[in-house]
Amino acid sequence: MTKPVILTGVRANNDLHIGNYFGAILPIVDMARRRSAEYIVNLFIPDLHSFTTPINHDQLFDSIMNNARVYAAAGLPLDDDAIQLYRQSYVSAHSELTIILNNFVGFGEMERMTQFKDKSAKLSNDRVSVGLFDYPVLMASDILLYNAMYIPVGDDQTQHLEITRDIAERMNHKFGELFTVPEPVAKQHQFFGKDQGLRIKDLQNPAKKMSKSDETGKGVIFLSDAPEVARKKIMSAATDSVGKVNYDKAAQPGISNLLEILTLVRQANGRAVSLKQTIDEFTGLERYGDFKKIVADEMSEFLANFQARLAQVNDDTILRKLESSEITANQTANQTLLRVQKAVGLRR
Ligand code: TRP
């Protein structure tokens, strides 16, 4: 029996921040470590998806490498053969399957994807690329090529997972058992746990998620921020006029966000404290400045340690991991592609 496959794509992004780290990167690394005895874990960098919206192409190659480095610094075991780490564009079957599947997916279906609607609404019509439109079909290929069952993704990607299931079922109905149909979203949530980690909010505007599109950067702590820069950002985080530390997301969103951040960085610094313990420890404290200083100290320690680990990551080791995973990925993906090529009449 071959082991079931868990698969997820980790975007190439040069300015990763603590929201990405604690909300996505660390949970994926923890999941990979816990599951790799019983599952095959495929982590890949969807580099062909990177330019569905405009980017700086001079930086793309570096971003891809940097993403792999960040995973290593976050503790991804590169010597575990059950964990694969590969680049999408190094496995040409992703592109080829997409071109085939495109002919079995409707214009209307793609037009109704909410991510497409949101992203295209911000651009003039001529700047909305066919690549952006086709994003979900490429994503379906990413998943179906490897017979993946479990796909941990954020809420913003569940619609793409649903369409992947639709495409797989449609093809199986038309051509016989071609694809493994991934588990439905409800089952995915059961498998991975619905609430994967806390969602860190912007420090200046705690009503919204921390996001790199923040114009000033003052509300966002980047993994590359010098510890002293991060300290200033925490010390000037927006709070409230209540004047007492309390975990109340509605009335004191800024303070609540800092309590969550403090819990996460303490855990990352090796202290086994829960959110509840942190809340109990600080509730009622009247001097926000003192509280922020504690958060800032803990954050500085985390960033200094993380940046030291990142500096130690060896690029040759990363490249060897990518290249060996890409050999394995090509083998699996090409088997699926051949099955599809035969089914649609391209091969005998
Ligand atoms: N679209 C995903 C995101 O933005 C990344 C991704 C691409 C992905 N292909 C995938 C995730 C396949 C899971 C499976 O986060």
Side-chain angles (χ1 to χ4, degrees):
M1 260 300 281
T2 53
K3 295 197 241 170
V5 177
I6 301 174
L7 178 147
T8 194
V10 293
R11 247 184 298 197
N13 187 336
N14 230 339
D15 33 18
L16 292 167
H17 52 71
I18 58 165
N20 301 129
Y21 189 79
F22 290 107
I25 293 168
L26 212 49
I28 288 175
V29 169
D30 287 344
M31 178 281 291
R33 299 177 76 115
R34 271 185 288 116
R35 303 281 192 178
S36 77
E38 285 167 67
Y39 297 83
I40 293 170
V41 181
N42 276 15
L43 305 181
F44 76 101
I45 303 175
D47 52 0
L48 290 170
H49 276 118
S50 305
F51 35 79
T52 51
T53 47
I55 58 155
N56 184 343
H57 295 271
D58 294 340
Q59 287 174 3
L60 180 57
F61 195 85
D62 270 350
S63 311
I64 294 165
M65 282 302 287
N66 194 49
N67 256 41
R69 286 186 205 111
V70 167
Y71 274 84
L76 187 72
L78 298 182
D79 56 357
D80 183 341
D81 286 339
I83 302 174
Q84 305 289 334
L85 181 67
Y86 54 95
R87 293 161 290 188
Q88 184 187 40
S89 75
Y90 285 72
V91 186
S92 53
H94 291 245
S95 306
E96 297 185 45
L97 182 58
T98 301
I99 292 285
I100 296 175
L101 291 180
N102 276 344
N103 302 284
F104 301 90
V105 177
F107 188 92
E109 287 178 291
M110 292 294 97
E111 212 179 21
R112 286 192 292 274
M113 293 284 113
T114 50
Q115 179 174 296
F116 174 73
K117 286 197 282 191
D118 291 349
K119 290 200 173 176
S120 60
K122 293 178 193 149
L123 300 167
S124 71
N125 221 352
D126 278 342
R127 297 192 64 212
V128 178
S129 70
V130 177
L132 179 63
F133 188 67
D134 206 28
Y135 185 116
V137 182
L138 179 56
M139 182 159 162
S141 300
D142 299 337
I143 295 169
L144 299 177
L145 282 171
Y146 302 90
N147 315 305
M149 288 284 267
Y150 297 104
I151 329 290
V153 287
D155 286 343
D156 63 326
Q157 297 296 318
T158 54
Q159 200 182 27
H160 294 160
L161 188 56
E162 296 289 8
I163 197 86
T164 299
R165 286 173 40 80
D166 288 351
I167 295 171
E169 279 169 354
R170 181 178 313 162
M171 296 298 282
N172 287 352
H173 187 71
K174 195 167 166 67
F175 296 106
E177 291 306 298
L178 270 186
F179 295 123
T180 301
V181 181
E183 293 285 10
V185 170
K187 282 259 181 69
Q188 304 279 352
H189 287 162
Q190 270 173 26
F191 185 78
F192 293 109
K194 168 76 182 99
D195 198 30
Q196 294 178 53
L198 303 162
R199 291 278 166 266
I200 292 185
K201 302 292 197 300
D202 186 282
L203 295 172
Q204 289 301 321
N205 177 5
K208 79 181 211 349
K209 219 169 71 172
M210 188 175 282
S211 148
K212 68 164 181 189
S213 48
D214 164 68
E215 311 76 32
T216 66
K218 279 175 68 182
V220 181
I221 296 180
F222 294 99
L223 292 175
S224 56
D225 276 349
E228 283 317 302
V229 172
R231 172 182 297 283
K232 291 206 184 86
K233 289 179 181 174
I234 299 230
M235 294 310 291
S236 57
T239 52
D240 53 67
S241 54
V242 176
K244 259 189 192 165
V245 171
N246 193 19
Y247 188 68
D248 179 342
K249 287 190 179 193
Q252 296 180 250
I255 289 290
S256 302
N257 188 36
L258 289 175
L259 281 163
E260 293 185 354
I261 291 174
L262 177 58
T263 306
L264 292 167
V265 283
R266 282 173 140 190
Q267 289 169 351
N269 290 339
R271 295 187 248 300
V273 284
S274 64
L275 176 61
K276 176 158 190 324
Q277 284 169 322
T278 305
I279 293 171
D280 289 347
E281 190 178 331
F282 292 99
T283 296
L285 192 75
E286 287 185 3
R287 294 159 68 149
Y288 286 170
D290 293 353
F291 173 58
K292 283 176 166 177
K293 187 167 175 310
I294 291 167
V295 182
D297 286 344
E298 203 80 45
M299 180 62 71
S300 303
E301 180 182 335
F302 162 70
L303 285 174
N305 287 337
F306 176 79
Q307 288 164 8
R309 284 202 304 278
L310 191 64
Q312 271 169 13
V313 172
N314 181 311
D315 275 5
D316 289 340
T317 314
I318 299 277
L319 270 175
R320 272 203 305 278
K321 178 68 180 179
L322 290 169
E323 284 165 3
S324 75
S325 297
E326 282 152 11
I327 292 174
T328 312
N330 270 293
Q331 284 165 353
T332 311
N334 284 337
Q335 279 175 14
T336 308
L337 179 63
L338 182 60
R339 209 158 64 226
V340 176
Q341 288 171 325
K342 285 182 175 166
V344 301
L346 290 169
R347 298 282 188 279
R348 268 257 142 64

